[in-house]
Amino acid sequence: ALRAGIRHFDTAKCYGNEELLGSVLKEAIADGIISKRDDVFITTKLWNDDHRPRHVAEACRASLERLQLDYLDLYLVHWPAAWRKGTLGCPDDGVSMEETWRAMETLVDQGLVRAIGVSNFGPERLSRLLSTARIAPVCNQIELHPSLQQQGLVDLCQSKGVAVTAWSPLAKGKSATSQAGDTVSALAKQRGISPSSLILLWHLSRGVIAIPRSSNPAHIQENCDVWRRATAAGAGGLGPGVGPLALLSSEELALMRGLDRGARLTFDFVGVFEETKWPWPWVGTLLCAVARVIWAVLPNWLDFRMPK
């Protein structure tokens, strides 16, 4: 990714890859691929069981140690859900988001992070946070792809100066094979680019930061080239026969809007999404109750990482 030109890296404690990223960055500087730490932008996230103020700084410092860094460019509250320390899914009723956010603001004051933001916040939660924050979140990282466009939330964020970052911007490849596939493929063919490149160009046309994930070197290069071509003032430096890419026209954007189905990639098992319809809020409440019972018996020392 570094050799392809990627300079923004998004990670999180629960992804279990902070140590790897830290080692790769250290090697990249030693090998001259990048010249210094400031050449890259590193984002990581506060996990759900670290929301209590006394845990926020500890979690941030632990991430910095794993990443072998002195500061973070951006630190996000991963989910608007506080869990009891050392548990999975067990609500922590002893802390509010306002308290967590004040601890996040302190990290900026201390120079541990340069900016703070949120992830997976809906309109109500974001508006409530903005009304009390001393330091406003600089971004909201949310699930966005052609089948889940969240235009109202995007508009709110952008009107408040909160950048929007799209996770799973390609819907894990499903956008090109779902019902949206025919429209996306047709628009991509007209432009002579791949369907995935068309979707990334659509995100850029909406003013959204897309962070696609891939382990395929060719796909990584292609994703990076979309940004290069879309932001190029001219064809110079793009290579022979490669010209800039114009953002989507109003007609193309209208066709893309027709693909919105409000369809998330997963069900809302813990009830954090504001638009979740019955019975999922009830299911989330039930699962939280079950978690309370389970963690009343089990030792609360889980250090959660997502399965590889």
Side-chain angles (χ1 to χ4, degrees):
L2 284 164
R3 294 186 186 280
I6 301 295
R7 293 296 181 267
H8 177 189
F9 293 90
D10 180 88
T11 184
K13 172 191 173 183
C14 75
Y15 298 166
N17 60 1
E18 288 178 324
E19 294 94 339
L20 176 61
L21 177 57
S23 297
V24 168
L25 291 176
K26 187 175 182 179
E27 291 176 9
I29 292 175
D31 294 343
I33 300 173
I34 55 175
S35 61
K36 57 186 183 301
R37 157 68 179 93
D38 290 350
D39 289 344
V40 292
F41 189 98
I42 307 299
T43 300
T44 192
K45 307 177 188 73
L46 180 79
W47 186 235
N48 301 351
D49 70 345
D50 285 318
H51 278 216
R52 292 215 174 197
R54 68 176 181 272
H55 295 145
V56 171
E58 294 174 3
C60 180
R61 291 182 186 278
S63 284
L64 285 169
E65 183 176 349
R66 289 188 291 268
L67 288 161
Q68 303 180 56
L69 299 177
D70 296 324
Y71 69 89
L72 296 170
D73 295 285
L74 178 60
Y75 198 39
L76 305 180
V77 176
H78 203 153
W79 291 93
W83 295 346
R84 219 163 61 206
K85 186 66 175 174
T87 72
L88 183 67
C90 183
D92 185 349
D93 301 319
V95 63
S96 66
M97 183 52 62
E98 288 74 17
E99 291 172 309
T100 299
W101 192 254
R102 283 197 292 271
M104 294 283 285
E105 292 171 329
T106 300
L107 299 179
V108 179
D109 298 334
Q110 294 174 340
L112 294 176
V113 305
R114 292 190 169 176
I116 50 178
V118 295
S119 182
N120 301 300
F121 272 52
E124 291 182 15
R125 286 189 175 97
L126 181 63
S127 296
R128 192 159 56 243
L129 179 60
L130 287 169
S131 70
T132 61
R134 175 172 60 89
I135 301 175
V138 300
C139 89
N140 186 13
Q141 187 178 124
I142 55 178
E143 180 185 348
L144 281 182
H145 43 76
S147 296
L148 182 71
Q149 300 187 18
Q150 302 204 73
Q151 189 63 55
L153 179 54
V154 171
D155 289 343
L156 172 65
C157 289
Q158 294 176 341
S159 71
K160 300 295 184 180
V162 179
V164 179
T165 302
W167 62 261
S168 286
L170 303 176
K172 297 182 179 179
K174 295 179 181 178
S175 290
T177 57
S178 64
Q179 292 179 341
D182 290 344
T183 298
V184 171
S185 296
L187 290 175
K189 185 176 181 180
Q190 290 173 8
R191 287 172 166 263
I193 58 178
S194 70
S196 60
S197 293
L198 187 283
I199 294 171
L200 293 178
L201 188 60
W202 167 73
H203 283 294
L204 286 171
S205 301
R206 299 178 79 201
V208 169
I209 303 162
I211 47 172
R213 182 177 67 176
S214 177
S215 59
N216 184 308
H219 291 168
I220 292 172
Q221 186 66 64
E222 180 184 2
N223 295 341
C224 192
D225 286 346
V226 171
W227 182 85
R228 282 201 184 101
R229 295 178 64 188
T231 57
L238 292 175
V242 180
L245 276 173
L247 297 179
L248 267 61
S249 67
S250 58
E251 292 80 9
E252 290 171 316
L253 287 170
L255 289 171
M256 292 296 291
R257 279 195 296 273
L259 305 180
D260 190 8
R261 299 292 181 269
R264 293 188 178 274
L265 294 175
T266 59
F267 293 115
D268 186 8
F269 294 108
V270 294
V272 296
F273 299 126
E274 294 170 8
E275 83 284 2
T276 299
K277 297 179 181 179
W278 191 89
W280 290 108
W282 180 85
V283 172
T285 300
L286 178 61
L287 289 174
C288 286
V290 171
R292 290 181 192 274
V293 173
I294 291 174
W295 291 106
V297 178
L298 294 178
N300 291 184
W301 57 38
L302 177 69
D303 191 16
F304 178 72
R305 298 291 190 278
M306 292 174 63
K308 297 290 192 297

